[in-house]
Every structure is written in structure tokens, then in C-alpha cells.
Amino acid sequence: VHPIQQAFIDTGSIQCGYCTPAMILATKALIEKEKNPTEAQAREALSAALCRCTGYKKPVEAVLRAAAMMRGEAVPPVNGGGIPFESVFGHGSGSLPDLPESSGGRGDTITKLIAFPVTLISPQPQTEVVGHPEPKVDAVKLAKGRPVFTDDVDLPGMLHAALLTSPHAHARIKNIDAGKARALPGVHAVLTYKDVERVIYASGGQTWPNPPPWDQVSLDSKVRFVGDRVAAVAAESPETAREALELIEVDYEILPAVFDPEAAMRDGAPMIHDEPDAVKIHDAQHNIAITSGAEHGNVEKGLAASDVVIERTYRVHQVQQASIEPHVVVTYWDEDDRLVIRTSTQVPFHVRRMVAPLLGLPVKRIRVIKPRVGGGFGGKQEMLIEDLCAHLTLATGRPVRFEYTRELEFTSARSRHAQKITYRAGVMKDGALHALDMRVVEDTGAYGTHGLTVGTVTGLRGLSTYRCANQRFRLEAVYTNKPVPGAFRGYGAPQALFALESLMEEIAVETGIDPVEFRLKNAIRVGDEVVMSRALGEGKEGYAQYIQSCALPECIEQGGAAIGWDRRADPKWVIDPNRPHVRRGLGMAACMHGTAIAGMDMGAASIKMNDD
Ligand code: FES
């Protein structure tokens, strides 16, 4: 292992590892020119390598560490313990922490950067294992750039796929003529809705049966957003495949489109899903894909009995995961006549189950291989492009490779749901929350996929952090002619927590209660029931969940201490005397997230002992 590779491993600079070889080469080029680079030079050198998982703090640390190692200097161990809490923040009585400078001096910059990363604020005793860094088990192969990703294969006879997408937000395909494209030398297949059996499905990577609605088919005669599927091509080269796309003639009947969920629900709005074979759309006429809701206690009575009622609306927008590795899949027949799907997915078993009926193959004739994923963030928690690539292998008998361009990632992959969240909160004079009413209007784009479950998690997370006797949640997931959202880190929680914590802050300010005190007064505690989970627990409704361990009050207290909350009015605390133009802003928010489905999800492990 080269010292640069070792430095990247030691500092924990490798998450998915997709960007790592590029970062290592950039580092090598820098150190060949400059044996003792500054942090600014390290940042500049790495700036050409985009990283979406690790970020740049640790790689910058790795560059400086590698340079020191290559100069023959001893580097301090990366012990993960960092500098103790007190020396960073003091005990609420010191000056501003001595944070690493953002650029400049060589000297002790490396020591600061290496020492700083982890700050333990818990007074727990030291342990042998917990709290200490371990090199990632697969860090060496990633640092060496071994062929671990989906696209790191080149099969004999492999064809290249390309996708024709809709230029219209809403249109019916009156006619489609692929004759010229099929006649292009090097083209082996062109598939349109006329060539693929119509099988209704839902693409979200979820346990069977997929939550409703089921509103998709592999290729349709109607398009519902700019970027929706129109036709797929397999050709000898990517260039020929793209050329063939240009030759496909499509006659569209352009339909009125709607982009705002509330407009989409109104009478007379364009009906996005008018197909008769969609399954379990809540109200197709009004574009409501699905609804959900629950009530604990009596919210209207609770609001009426409250001393203060505050209503606020928060909006969160659509965001794309932008994993550095795009969606990519390779499909081929193996020697046992099984269809192999080598794909960058977070849900290989769901892909196999979901793709089987679309292809007309039994599950046992499909093998899904999930190599290392170059960043997913939820965007690959979907059966997204595997069906089209597999259809092309079925049509040609040849291995086919299909990779989304970055443009397709934005138009035709997945994203985070935009939501409009309205809270009504009832508070008593003593600061106790008495009623919380949460209504979510979620934009699920052109298809339902994860709309129900993401929206439901928004309700769970938005009504679980604080005690409240009367709570209500209502969700409407609404179709629009926009690219389709899906799973994205936090799965509905970030939307909810942004709104909830903004609300908590605004209530505290409006009622004159200290925001930290207000949270502490209402924080959920051990023994409390998470009341919304009984009604909204996915697949396990009626299953009561109680808080069995919880340190939320301690979190709020420690967080407050760490930022010097009780000194927020002290100019010595908020103004750096050496840099008086720099002010410290203090704010408090609590976030929680749970994953897996209590009482339903399960895990298992097998242990095998080898001869040695
Ligand atoms: Fe950099 Fe994943 S570790 S993109």
C-alpha cells in the first residue's frame, strides 16, 4: 500500500470509495510538485474530484498526512479520541475554541487537522473498542481502485443502452415509429410501449406487497413528466445508441400539465393517471395518489382548551441525491440460462422480486448481483432501470449495459419529496404542549412509488419527539407532472424535523419561554408511548411502541452546554475579540430518526468456521 493510499485509509477518508482513486491520483500529482503542501493547496488539488459521501475534511487531512509520511516524518496516530471536550469548548468560561484555520500556515496545521476530527462530549469511561476508529474492512481494495463497482466489467459482445425521454410534462403518444432507428447499422433493438407487455407495478424498493398505488408500466403510451420513459435502444456503441434515439419519430398529443399539488387536487385539474388499470389510486380524478392519517386524543378539543394556539406552514423543496456513481446496470444470460442483473442498487432482493413479473420470468431464473454501490442515499432504493436493461437483453440475447447520464439522474431518477407542512399547536400557560395538528401535502411527482411511506414517516417523526396528549396527522400524497421523488436519507424525517423544530422555536419565542427550556419541558421520556406509531406503524398497525431508553433531555442539556447556551447574551461569548467581525450564532434543534420497522423487520446471521 502506497503511503497516500495508507493515509486515506488511516484517516477514514473512504466511504463508498467511488471518488477515492481520483482523489489519490490528485494527491500524488500535488505531492510530486509540492512536498510540503498547505491546506489551501490540498483543497485546491482535491477540488477536481467530486465527493458526495465523505466530503473533503478527511481527504484534506489525508493529503497533509501523506505528504508528511512521504517526507519521512512521524505522524501522530489517528486515535479518534480527539482533543477532550473541555479543551475545545472550555467549561462555559473560556474563550472561543481554537479551531483549525481554513487555510494558510504549514507548521502545526497538520497536527491540528489530525487531532481535531472527533470530539467526545460524553463523560463515559474509556473503552477498548467503542470510541476508537477501525479501518474499513474494504478500505484497501477501494484505495487501490480495484474493480468493485457495477460498471467495472466489460463482457464480450456487450451492447450499450440509451433512453429516449419525454420532452413534454404531460402528453399522449399518438404514434411512435422506430423503423429508421432499427435500420441504423449497429442497432440491435428498439423497444417502445408496443413491444413490451403491459404489467402494472410500483417501483419503490419495499417489502411485498408494495404499498399502493401501483401506477407504472415499463413503457407506456402516455408520458407524465419531462424525462419520462418513451423508448429504449440497444446498440454496438453508446454513440450509435444515442444516434438511434434521434431517429425515433414520436407524434405527441400535448396535454395540459399541473405542477403544484394543491392546484392538482382542484376540480378540473388535468388528470395525470387516467389509465383504467392502475391499482389503488386514492382519487385519480383529483390526482390524490394516497392518503394517510391518525389521531390520538381529540385535537380540536385540545386546541380549544389551550391557552395559546399557533399555526405555521413550512415548505421543503425537492432535492436530488446526486450520488457520484449514477444508476448503472448490466444484464446478461448466464450458463444456466438465468438472467443476471448486475446493478448498483440498495435493494437487490426487491429488484429480483419486482422485475420478474415485468419480464415474464420466474424469480428463480433471475440472479441479481449488487456490487459495491458508489453512493445511494436512498436514490437506489428503487427498481429503476433494471427492467429496461433486462428487456433489451431479452430482445437481443446479448449482454447490455445501461447507465444514466447526469442529466437523466436529475430528470428521470429519484429525489426527496417536496412537502407543505402545516402545524397548529395548542400550548398551556406553563409551556406544556396540549395539542398538535399536522397536515402534510406531499408532492409525489408523476408516480406514487415511496409517496405513502415517506409521507407516513414524516407524520411519525413530526409527532414523536415531544409529549402531547392530543395529536393528529393527515397526509395527502398528490400527483404532479414533475420528476418522481422517492427514498432519500432520513426518508421523510428531515422534512418533518425542519418543520417541527422551526415550530418549537417559534412557539418559544412567541410565548416568551426559553427555547431550550421549552424543549426540555416537553421532551419525550422513558416509559412514554410513541402514540403515532400505533396508528402509523407500517404493516404493523395497532402495535404499541414505548420509549425504553432515551437521553433526549440529556442531549438537549449537553448540546446547550456545548454551545454555551446560557452565555448567548454575553458579548465575550458571541464575539471573537481577535476577529471582531466574526459573530457566533446560537440555535437549538433536536432531531431523531429511527430505521427499520419495529415488530416487523428482522435480521439474521450465520457463522461458519473454516479449517484455519
Ligand atoms: Fe466520495 Fe463516495 S466516498 S463519492
Side-chain angles (χ1 to χ4, degrees), residues 13-20 23 50-55 324 374-375 377:
S13 295
I14 305 171
Q15 294 277 326
C16 80
Y18 199 78
C19 67
T20 304
M23 288 207 172
L50 296 178
C51 178
R52 183 73 174 86
C53 336
T54 310
I324 301 297
F377 319 120

Side-chain angles (χ1 to χ4, degrees), residues 61-137:
E61 194 184 311
V63 172
L64 301 180
R65 186 180 179 87
M69 288 162 78
M70 290 171 74
R71 291 194 301 270
E73 296 169 16
V75 288
V78 181
N79 61 20
I83 39 183
F85 170 64
E86 292 76 18
S87 69
V88 177
F89 292 107
H91 293 280
S93 58
S95 59
L96 287 177
D98 180 22
L99 299 174
E101 289 165 19
S102 59
S103 62
R106 296 160 196 258
D108 63 349
T109 304
I110 180 171
T111 318
K112 280 186 188 170
L113 280 169
I114 290 170
F116 188 69
V118 179
T119 303
L120 295 175
I121 63 166
S122 164
Q124 298 300 317
Q126 287 295 310
T127 53
E128 291 279 323
V129 176
V130 176
H132 298 273
E134 274 291 312
K136 240 179 152 63
V137 287

